[in-house]
PDB file of all heavy atoms in Angstrom:
ATOM      1  N   ILE J  45     -31.567  -8.885  -1.126  1.00 97.00           N
ATOM      2  CA  ILE J  45     -32.250  -9.624  -0.054  1.00 97.00           C
ATOM      3  C   ILE J  45     -33.637  -9.043   0.180  1.00 97.00           C
ATOM      4  O   ILE J  45     -34.633  -9.753   0.243  1.00 97.00           O
ATOM      5  CB  ILE J  45     -31.425  -9.632   1.244  1.00 97.00           C
ATOM      6  CG1 ILE J  45     -30.157 -10.458   1.055  1.00 97.00           C
ATOM      7  CG2 ILE J  45     -32.265 -10.176   2.405  1.00 97.00           C
ATOM      8  CD1 ILE J  45     -29.132 -10.274   2.167  1.00 97.00           C
ATOM      9  N   ILE J 138     -33.489 -10.835  11.784  1.00 98.00           N
ATOM     10  CA  ILE J 138     -32.299 -10.005  11.523  1.00 98.00           C
ATOM     11  C   ILE J 138     -31.506 -10.804  10.471  1.00 98.00           C
ATOM     12  O   ILE J 138     -30.997 -11.891  10.737  1.00 98.00           O
ATOM     13  CB  ILE J 138     -31.459  -9.793  12.774  1.00 98.00           C
ATOM     14  CG1 ILE J 138     -32.297  -9.180  13.907  1.00 98.00           C
ATOM     15  CG2 ILE J 138     -30.231  -8.922  12.469  1.00 98.00           C
ATOM     16  CD1 ILE J 138     -31.615  -9.227  15.267  1.00 98.00           C
ATOM     17  N   VAL J 139     -31.390 -10.227   9.293  1.00 98.00           N
ATOM     18  CA  VAL J 139     -30.675 -10.862   8.195  1.00 98.00           C
ATOM     19  C   VAL J 139     -29.295 -10.183   8.094  1.00 98.00           C
ATOM     20  O   VAL J 139     -29.203  -8.978   7.880  1.00 98.00           O
ATOM     21  CB  VAL J 139     -31.419 -10.731   6.857  1.00 98.00           C
ATOM     22  CG1 VAL J 139     -30.640 -11.367   5.755  1.00 98.00           C
ATOM     23  CG2 VAL J 139     -32.827 -11.346   6.990  1.00 98.00           C
ATOM     24  N   ASP J 140     -28.235 -10.980   8.284  1.00 97.00           N
ATOM     25  CA  ASP J 140     -26.870 -10.426   8.291  1.00 97.00           C
ATOM     26  C   ASP J 140     -26.088 -10.949   7.085  1.00 97.00           C
ATOM     27  O   ASP J 140     -25.598 -12.061   7.082  1.00 97.00           O
ATOM     28  CB  ASP J 140     -26.182 -10.845   9.593  1.00 97.00           C
ATOM     29  CG  ASP J 140     -24.866 -10.114   9.826  1.00 97.00           C
ATOM     30  OD1 ASP J 140     -24.224  -9.717   8.841  1.00 97.00           O
ATOM     31  OD2 ASP J 140     -24.532  -9.946  11.024  1.00 97.00           O
ATOM     32  N   PRO J 141     -26.017 -10.124   5.993  1.00 95.00           N
ATOM     33  CA  PRO J 141     -25.336 -10.562   4.772  1.00 95.00           C
ATOM     34  C   PRO J 141     -23.856 -10.844   4.970  1.00 95.00           C
ATOM     35  O   PRO J 141     -23.278 -11.740   4.337  1.00 95.00           O
ATOM     36  CB  PRO J 141     -25.514  -9.385   3.802  1.00 95.00           C
ATOM     37  CG  PRO J 141     -26.627  -8.580   4.363  1.00 95.00           C
ATOM     38  CD  PRO J 141     -26.616  -8.816   5.842  1.00 95.00           C
ATOM     39  N   ARG J 142     -23.188 -10.106   5.861  1.00 94.00           N
ATOM     40  CA  ARG J 142     -21.761 -10.302   6.064  1.00 94.00           C
ATOM     41  C   ARG J 142     -21.515 -11.627   6.732  1.00 94.00           C
ATOM     42  O   ARG J 142     -20.635 -12.407   6.329  1.00 94.00           O
ATOM     43  CB  ARG J 142     -21.206  -9.169   6.916  1.00 94.00           C
ATOM     44  CG  ARG J 142     -19.693  -9.180   7.116  1.00 94.00           C
ATOM     45  CD  ARG J 142     -19.227  -8.071   8.020  1.00 94.00           C
ATOM     46  NE  ARG J 142     -19.799  -8.090   9.339  1.00 94.00           N
ATOM     47  CZ  ARG J 142     -19.436  -8.924  10.336  1.00 94.00           C
ATOM     48  NH1 ARG J 142     -18.507  -9.802  10.142  1.00 94.00           N
ATOM     49  NH2 ARG J 142     -20.019  -8.847  11.522  1.00 94.00           N
ATOM     50  N   ARG J 143     -22.281 -11.980   7.761  1.00 95.00           N
ATOM     51  CA  ARG J 143     -22.112 -13.256   8.490  1.00 95.00           C
ATOM     52  C   ARG J 143     -22.879 -14.405   7.842  1.00 95.00           C
ATOM     53  O   ARG J 143     -22.711 -15.547   8.234  1.00 95.00           O
ATOM     54  CB  ARG J 143     -22.543 -13.061   9.907  1.00 95.00           C
ATOM     55  CG  ARG J 143     -21.678 -12.096  10.670  1.00 95.00           C
ATOM     56  CD  ARG J 143     -22.159 -11.796  12.094  1.00 95.00           C
ATOM     57  NE  ARG J 143     -22.369 -13.014  12.871  1.00 95.00           N
ATOM     58  CZ  ARG J 143     -23.351 -13.187  13.744  1.00 95.00           C
ATOM     59  NH1 ARG J 143     -24.204 -12.218  13.986  1.00 95.00           N
ATOM     60  NH2 ARG J 143     -23.457 -14.304  14.414  1.00 95.00           N
ATOM     61  N   LYS J 144     -23.755 -14.076   6.870  1.00 96.00           N
ATOM     62  CA  LYS J 144     -24.636 -15.046   6.189  1.00 96.00           C
ATOM     63  C   LYS J 144     -25.440 -15.871   7.195  1.00 96.00           C
ATOM     64  O   LYS J 144     -25.521 -17.089   7.157  1.00 96.00           O
ATOM     65  CB  LYS J 144     -23.754 -15.956   5.299  1.00 96.00           C
ATOM     66  CG  LYS J 144     -23.093 -15.187   4.196  1.00 96.00           C
ATOM     67  CD  LYS J 144     -22.485 -16.039   3.163  1.00 96.00           C
ATOM     68  CE  LYS J 144     -21.823 -15.339   2.013  1.00 96.00           C
ATOM     69  NZ  LYS J 144     -21.987 -13.956   1.819  1.00 96.00           N
ATOM     70  N   ILE J 145     -26.091 -15.090   8.084  1.00 97.00           N
ATOM     71  CA  ILE J 145     -26.914 -15.674   9.135  1.00 97.00           C
ATOM     72  C   ILE J 145     -28.250 -14.906   9.217  1.00 97.00           C
ATOM     73  O   ILE J 145     -28.277 -13.688   9.065  1.00 97.00           O
ATOM     74  CB  ILE J 145     -26.214 -15.602  10.516  1.00 97.00           C
ATOM     75  CG1 ILE J 145     -25.034 -16.548  10.534  1.00 97.00           C
ATOM     76  CG2 ILE J 145     -27.151 -15.881  11.663  1.00 97.00           C
ATOM     77  CD1 ILE J 145     -24.176 -16.451  11.794  1.00 97.00           C
ATOM     78  N   VAL J 146     -29.331 -15.665   9.452  1.00 98.00           N
ATOM     79  CA  VAL J 146     -30.641 -15.073   9.760  1.00 98.00           C
ATOM     80  C   VAL J 146     -30.948 -15.407  11.206  1.00 98.00           C
ATOM     81  O   VAL J 146     -30.977 -16.591  11.582  1.00 98.00           O
ATOM     82  CB  VAL J 146     -31.738 -15.622   8.830  1.00 98.00           C
ATOM     83  CG1 VAL J 146     -33.093 -14.988   9.183  1.00 98.00           C
ATOM     84  CG2 VAL J 146     -31.398 -15.363   7.351  1.00 98.00           C
ATOM     85  N   TYR J 160     -29.974 -19.224  11.706  1.00 98.00           N
ATOM     86  CA  TYR J 160     -29.997 -20.084  10.561  1.00 98.00           C
ATOM     87  C   TYR J 160     -28.949 -19.578   9.563  1.00 98.00           C
ATOM     88  O   TYR J 160     -28.745 -18.391   9.424  1.00 98.00           O
ATOM     89  CB  TYR J 160     -31.374 -20.025   9.855  1.00 98.00           C
ATOM     90  CG  TYR J 160     -32.509 -20.521  10.703  1.00 98.00           C
ATOM     91  CD1 TYR J 160     -33.185 -19.650  11.535  1.00 98.00           C
ATOM     92  CD2 TYR J 160     -32.888 -21.864  10.690  1.00 98.00           C
ATOM     93  CE1 TYR J 160     -34.265 -20.108  12.299  1.00 98.00           C
ATOM     94  CE2 TYR J 160     -33.960 -22.315  11.465  1.00 98.00           C
ATOM     95  CZ  TYR J 160     -34.644 -21.425  12.278  1.00 98.00           C
ATOM     96  OH  TYR J 160     -35.668 -21.880  13.057  1.00 98.00           O
ATOM     97  N   SER J 161     -28.307 -20.515   8.860  1.00 97.00           N
ATOM     98  CA  SER J 161     -27.377 -20.139   7.823  1.00 97.00           C
ATOM     99  C   SER J 161     -28.163 -19.781   6.562  1.00 97.00           C
ATOM    100  O   SER J 161     -29.344 -20.075   6.456  1.00 97.00           O
ATOM    101  CB  SER J 161     -26.409 -21.272   7.526  1.00 97.00           C
ATOM    102  OG  SER J 161     -27.107 -22.364   6.972  1.00 97.00           O
ATOM    103  N   PHE J 162     -27.490 -19.151   5.621  1.00 97.00           N
ATOM    104  CA  PHE J 162     -28.110 -18.735   4.381  1.00 97.00           C
ATOM    105  C   PHE J 162     -28.481 -19.912   3.470  1.00 97.00           C
ATOM    106  O   PHE J 162     -29.087 -19.700   2.451  1.00 97.00           O
ATOM    107  CB  PHE J 162     -27.216 -17.760   3.629  1.00 97.00           C
ATOM    108  CG  PHE J 162     -27.423 -16.300   3.966  1.00 97.00           C
ATOM    109  CD1 PHE J 162     -27.940 -15.916   5.198  1.00 97.00           C
ATOM    110  CD2 PHE J 162     -27.082 -15.326   3.069  1.00 97.00           C
ATOM    111  CE1 PHE J 162     -28.114 -14.564   5.500  1.00 97.00           C
ATOM    112  CE2 PHE J 162     -27.247 -13.978   3.348  1.00 97.00           C
ATOM    113  CZ  PHE J 162     -27.783 -13.599   4.587  1.00 97.00           C
ATOM    114  N   ASP J 163     -28.152 -21.136   3.863  1.00 96.00           N
ATOM    115  CA  ASP J 163     -28.573 -22.300   3.058  1.00 96.00           C
ATOM    116  C   ASP J 163     -29.764 -23.005   3.679  1.00 96.00           C
ATOM    117  O   ASP J 163     -30.131 -24.111   3.310  1.00 96.00           O
ATOM    118  CB  ASP J 163     -27.436 -23.259   2.820  1.00 96.00           C
ATOM    119  CG  ASP J 163     -26.837 -23.851   4.096  1.00 96.00           C
ATOM    120  OD1 ASP J 163     -27.295 -23.455   5.204  1.00 96.00           O
ATOM    121  OD2 ASP J 163     -25.934 -24.695   3.976  1.00 96.00           O
ATOM    122  N   SER J 164     -30.430 -22.355   4.652  1.00 98.00           N
ATOM    123  CA  SER J 164     -31.557 -22.938   5.370  1.00 98.00           C
ATOM    124  C   SER J 164     -32.920 -22.610   4.771  1.00 98.00           C
ATOM    125  O   SER J 164     -33.079 -21.625   4.053  1.00 98.00           O
ATOM    126  CB  SER J 164     -31.558 -22.446   6.807  1.00 98.00           C
ATOM    127  OG  SER J 164     -30.384 -22.780   7.476  1.00 98.00           O
ATOM    128  N   ILE J 165     -33.885 -23.446   5.068  1.00 98.00           N
ATOM    129  CA  ILE J 165     -35.294 -23.148   4.844  1.00 98.00           C
ATOM    130  C   ILE J 165     -35.858 -22.705   6.170  1.00 98.00           C
ATOM    131  O   ILE J 165     -35.781 -23.467   7.175  1.00 98.00           O
ATOM    132  CB  ILE J 165     -36.050 -24.372   4.274  1.00 98.00           C
ATOM    133  CG1 ILE J 165     -35.478 -24.751   2.929  1.00 98.00           C
ATOM    134  CG2 ILE J 165     -37.540 -24.079   4.193  1.00 98.00           C
ATOM    135  CD1 ILE J 165     -36.024 -26.045   2.350  1.00 98.00           C
ATOM    136  N   ILE J 166     -36.371 -21.497   6.216  1.00 98.00           N
ATOM    137  CA  ILE J 166     -36.766 -20.874   7.495  1.00 98.00           C
ATOM    138  C   ILE J 166     -38.262 -20.644   7.527  1.00 98.00           C
ATOM    139  O   ILE J 166     -38.839 -20.054   6.622  1.00 98.00           O
ATOM    140  CB  ILE J 166     -35.993 -19.541   7.702  1.00 98.00           C
ATOM    141  CG1 ILE J 166     -34.489 -19.763   7.521  1.00 98.00           C
ATOM    142  CG2 ILE J 166     -36.322 -18.925   9.063  1.00 98.00           C
ATOM    143  CD1 ILE J 166     -33.687 -18.456   7.493  1.00 98.00           C
ATOM    144  N   ASP J 177     -36.998 -20.355   1.537  1.00 97.00           N
ATOM    145  CA  ASP J 177     -35.764 -21.066   1.197  1.00 97.00           C
ATOM    146  C   ASP J 177     -34.675 -19.999   0.996  1.00 97.00           C
ATOM    147  O   ASP J 177     -34.595 -19.378  -0.088  1.00 97.00           O
ATOM    148  CB  ASP J 177     -35.959 -21.900  -0.069  1.00 97.00           C
ATOM    149  CG  ASP J 177     -34.750 -22.748  -0.395  1.00 97.00           C
ATOM    150  OD1 ASP J 177     -33.652 -22.495   0.190  1.00 97.00           O
ATOM    151  OD2 ASP J 177     -34.873 -23.661  -1.219  1.00 97.00           O
ATOM    152  N   PHE J 178     -33.873 -19.800   2.013  1.00 96.00           N
ATOM    153  CA  PHE J 178     -32.903 -18.704   1.941  1.00 96.00           C
ATOM    154  C   PHE J 178     -31.772 -19.004   0.955  1.00 96.00           C
ATOM    155  O   PHE J 178     -31.128 -18.082   0.479  1.00 96.00           O
ATOM    156  CB  PHE J 178     -32.343 -18.394   3.348  1.00 96.00           C
ATOM    157  CG  PHE J 178     -32.357 -16.903   3.603  1.00 96.00           C
ATOM    158  CD1 PHE J 178     -33.462 -16.302   4.127  1.00 96.00           C
ATOM    159  CD2 PHE J 178     -31.249 -16.133   3.298  1.00 96.00           C
ATOM    160  CE1 PHE J 178     -33.509 -14.945   4.339  1.00 96.00           C
ATOM    161  CE2 PHE J 178     -31.267 -14.768   3.501  1.00 96.00           C
ATOM    162  CZ  PHE J 178     -32.392 -14.173   4.017  1.00 96.00           C
ATOM    163  N   SER J 179     -31.548 -20.254   0.620  1.00 95.00           N
ATOM    164  CA  SER J 179     -30.491 -20.587  -0.340  1.00 95.00           C
ATOM    165  C   SER J 179     -30.811 -19.951  -1.702  1.00 95.00           C
ATOM    166  O   SER J 179     -29.900 -19.550  -2.440  1.00 95.00           O
ATOM    167  CB  SER J 179     -30.266 -22.095  -0.470  1.00 95.00           C
ATOM    168  OG  SER J 179     -31.445 -22.703  -1.038  1.00 95.00           O
ATOM    169  N   GLU J 180     -32.118 -19.880  -2.058  1.00 95.00           N
ATOM    170  CA  GLU J 180     -32.494 -19.250  -3.311  1.00 95.00           C
ATOM    171  C   GLU J 180     -32.141 -17.750  -3.304  1.00 95.00           C
ATOM    172  O   GLU J 180     -31.731 -17.191  -4.331  1.00 95.00           O
ATOM    173  CB  GLU J 180     -33.985 -19.440  -3.556  1.00 95.00           C
ATOM    174  CG  GLU J 180     -34.370 -20.862  -3.843  1.00 95.00           C
ATOM    175  CD  GLU J 180     -35.856 -21.039  -4.054  1.00 95.00           C
ATOM    176  OE1 GLU J 180     -36.619 -20.024  -4.038  1.00 95.00           O
ATOM    177  OE2 GLU J 180     -36.293 -22.201  -4.217  1.00 95.00           O
ATOM    178  N   ILE J 181     -32.286 -17.098  -2.163  1.00 95.00           N
ATOM    179  CA  ILE J 181     -31.915 -15.690  -2.046  1.00 95.00           C
ATOM    180  C   ILE J 181     -30.390 -15.531  -2.029  1.00 95.00           C
ATOM    181  O   ILE J 181     -29.854 -14.691  -2.713  1.00 95.00           O
ATOM    182  CB  ILE J 181     -32.544 -15.090  -0.763  1.00 95.00           C
ATOM    183  CG1 ILE J 181     -34.054 -15.137  -0.865  1.00 95.00           C
ATOM    184  CG2 ILE J 181     -32.019 -13.679  -0.500  1.00 95.00           C
ATOM    185  CD1 ILE J 181     -34.802 -14.792   0.415  1.00 95.00           C
ATOM    186  N   ALA J 182     -29.723 -16.421  -1.288  1.00 93.00           N
ATOM    187  CA  ALA J 182     -28.252 -16.343  -1.172  1.00 93.00           C
ATOM    188  C   ALA J 182     -27.572 -16.472  -2.549  1.00 93.00           C
ATOM    189  O   ALA J 182     -26.556 -15.854  -2.817  1.00 93.00           O
ATOM    190  CB  ALA J 182     -27.746 -17.404  -0.211  1.00 93.00           C
ATOM    191  N   ASN J 183     -28.180 -17.304  -3.415  1.00 92.00           N
ATOM    192  CA  ASN J 183     -27.589 -17.495  -4.763  1.00 92.00           C
ATOM    193  C   ASN J 183     -27.662 -16.241  -5.624  1.00 92.00           C
ATOM    194  O   ASN J 183     -26.964 -16.153  -6.617  1.00 92.00           O
ATOM    195  CB  ASN J 183     -28.327 -18.645  -5.491  1.00 92.00           C
ATOM    196  CG  ASN J 183     -27.982 -19.968  -4.885  1.00 92.00           C
ATOM    197  OD1 ASN J 183     -26.939 -20.136  -4.294  1.00 92.00           O
ATOM    198  ND2 ASN J 183     -28.882 -20.923  -5.038  1.00 92.00           N
ATOM    199  N   LEU J 185     -26.924 -13.197  -4.459  1.00 89.00           N
ATOM    200  CA  LEU J 185     -26.071 -12.145  -3.864  1.00 89.00           C
ATOM    201  C   LEU J 185     -24.760 -11.982  -4.635  1.00 89.00           C
ATOM    202  O   LEU J 185     -24.216 -12.942  -5.190  1.00 89.00           O
ATOM    203  CB  LEU J 185     -25.763 -12.456  -2.404  1.00 89.00           C
ATOM    204  CG  LEU J 185     -26.990 -12.567  -1.497  1.00 89.00           C
ATOM    205  CD1 LEU J 185     -26.562 -12.902  -0.062  1.00 89.00           C
ATOM    206  CD2 LEU J 185     -27.812 -11.303  -1.547  1.00 89.00           C
TER     207      LEU J 185
END
Side-chain angles (χ1 to χ4, degrees):
I45 292 167
I138 305 167
V139 179
D140 192 331
R142 186 183 57 79
R143 295 175 54 215
K144 298 191 179 348
I145 290 175
V146 178
Y160 298 90
S161 66
F162 270 25
D163 60 357
S164 300
I165 296 173
I166 307 171
D177 185 346
F178 227 87
S179 67
E180 291 178 5
I181 297 170
N183 289 336
L185 301 180

